Amino acid sequence: MATNPRKNGQHKLVSVPGGKEQSAVGELLSGRVSKAPRTPRKKKAEIPAQELPKEVAKLANLFAAARTIKKEIESKEQYARNRLDEFCLRDFARRAALSDRRPGSIDYSSDYAKFKFVLTSRTTLTPEKEEALTDLGLPLGEQTRLAGIEINYEAIRAHGLEEKLRQALESMDIDKSILDECFRPKVELKESFYDRLPELVGHIVERKDELEDKMHEVLRILQPTAQLRNVDVKGLTAKQCFDLVTQTEIEAEEEIA
C-alpha cells in the first residue's frame, strides 16, 4: 500500500508495489532527463564609468570623434570609388568602340581632383562569369589559359591521398570526381583578350551602335582589375578636403551618366 506523501509537513518518496524507492543518487544516475535546480539570478550592479583625467579625456574625445568620422569618410570614399569605376569602365567601352582597339590609360580631371585610370589584364574568372558571358553569346573559348592549380589539401587528407601526392601527381590512379574535388584549375584571360575585345564583341552584335553597350556589359561581368593612380587634389587644404567629404551628401539611387 502506498504511503501518504505528506506527513507532519515532510515530503517522502512514494513506494510503489513491486518497486523500490529511488534514492537521490539513483535518480542522478538513472539516465533520465531531470530538471535543473533553479537558482535565482542576481542582477549585476552596474559600475559607473570612470572619469578620465583632463589630459587623457582630450585624447579620448579625439579618438572617438576620429573613429566616428573615419567610418563616414571610408563609406563615402568607397561609394565615390565604385561610381568612378563604373564611369571609367563605361568610358573605356566608348573609346574602344570608337577606335576598334584597346584604349590606353587616361587622365581625368575635375575642379579639385585628378587621377589616371588604368585597366590591367588581370581578371579573376569564375564559372558564374563564364556562364554569364556565354549567355551573352560571347564564349571565352581560346581566350583563357591555365595560370595554376589550387590544391584543396583538406580534401586530399580526407580521401587519404597525401602519400600518393608525395610520390607523384601523374602516377595517381584516382576517380575524376575526386580529382575535381581536390584540384581546382586556376584559369585567367590571356593578355591579348582586352586588345581583341572590340573584335570579339563585334562578332556578337548586329549593329555597330550596339558595340559600346555590349562591351560595357562584358566589362561589368568580368570586373577586370582597374587602378586609379596618382590621385591628388588641387588647391585644397587638408581641412577643406575634410569639409568637402563631411558636407557631401550621398544619394543611393544617384546615377552617373
Side-chain angles (χ1 to χ4, degrees):
M1 179 179 294
T3 59
N4 188 349
R6 296 177 180 271
K7 189 176 181 182
N8 298 327
Q10 296 181 347
H11 291 279
K12 290 186 178 180
L13 293 175
V14 178
S15 73
V16 180
K20 295 182 179 179
E21 292 186 1
Q22 191 172 27
S23 66
V25 174
E27 184 178 352
L28 176 65
L29 303 179
S30 67
R32 297 181 180 179
V33 177
S34 60
K35 293 182 178 179
R38 292 183 179 179
T39 54
R41 291 185 178 180
K42 294 182 179 179
K43 191 174 181 182
K44 278 189 175 183
E46 291 187 4
I47 301 175
Q50 180 178 334
E51 196 71 23
L52 290 168
K54 188 174 181 180
E55 56 277 7
V56 181
K58 291 180 180 179
L59 296 176
N61 294 340
L62 176 61
F63 174 75
R67 192 74 172 264
T68 300
I69 64 171
K70 179 183 176 183
K71 293 179 181 178
E72 179 181 359
I73 289 174
E74 288 179 344
S75 174
K76 290 182 177 180
E77 177 191 6
Q78 190 59 54
Y79 172 85
R81 174 62 193 265
N82 291 342
R83 292 306 180 93
L84 285 172
D85 282 347
E86 177 65 19
F87 168 81
C88 292
L89 283 181
R90 163 64 76 175
D91 197 46
F92 181 94
R94 179 187 64 80
R95 292 183 291 127
L98 289 175
S99 61
D100 279 332
R101 60 185 178 86
R102 176 180 179 166
S105 303
I106 186 172
D107 292 302
Y108 292 104
S109 177
S110 68
D111 292 344
Y112 301 123
K114 62 178 181 178
F115 62 88
K116 179 186 292 292
F117 175 74
V118 181
L119 185 72
T120 72
S121 297
R122 296 195 304 275
T123 304
T124 302
L125 288 180
T126 63
E128 292 75 20
K129 289 181 180 181
E130 188 170 6
E131 183 179 356
L133 291 181
T134 301
D135 291 342
L136 281 183
L138 184 66
L140 293 178
E142 299 297 321
Q143 301 305 312
T144 62
R145 68 183 184 93
L146 185 64
I149 294 179
E150 295 181 5
I151 298 179
N152 185 342
Y153 206 78
E154 289 185 3
I156 291 173
R157 182 180 292 112
H159 291 291
L161 304 179
E162 288 177 287
E163 187 58 35
K164 288 190 175 183
L165 180 61
R166 291 189 186 98
Q167 293 173 0
L169 289 175
E170 61 271 13
S171 66
M172 291 193 302
D173 183 19
I174 304 167
D175 186 81
K176 183 181 183 302
S177 62
I178 298 178
L179 278 175
D180 290 342
E181 182 180 350
C182 295
F183 304 102
R184 299 170 188 151
K186 182 181 178 182
V187 180
E188 64 181 19
L189 288 171
K190 293 180 179 178
E191 291 186 4
S192 61
F193 174 79
Y194 290 104
D195 295 331
R196 299 187 57 200
L197 186 61
E199 171 197 345
L200 294 170
V201 178
H203 291 315
I204 64 172
V205 295
E206 296 180 358
R207 302 193 314 269
K208 178 72 173 177
D209 59 0
E210 297 176 343
L211 186 59
E212 176 185 337
D213 288 339
K214 189 64 68 175
M215 278 198 296
H216 182 231
E217 192 171 357
V218 169
L219 290 170
R220 293 190 69 177
I221 291 172
L222 288 174
Q223 298 176 3
T225 302
Q227 299 174 347
L228 303 185
R229 298 177 180 171
N230 305 329
V231 180
D232 197 8
V233 292
K234 302 180 295 184
L236 292 181
T237 65
K239 183 181 184 307
Q240 288 171 321
C241 290
F242 173 80
D243 292 340
L244 189 151
V245 172
T246 56
Q247 294 171 11
T248 299
E249 298 293 332
I250 290 178
E251 295 184 15
E253 302 301 322
E254 180 184 354
E255 293 295 335
I256 301 277

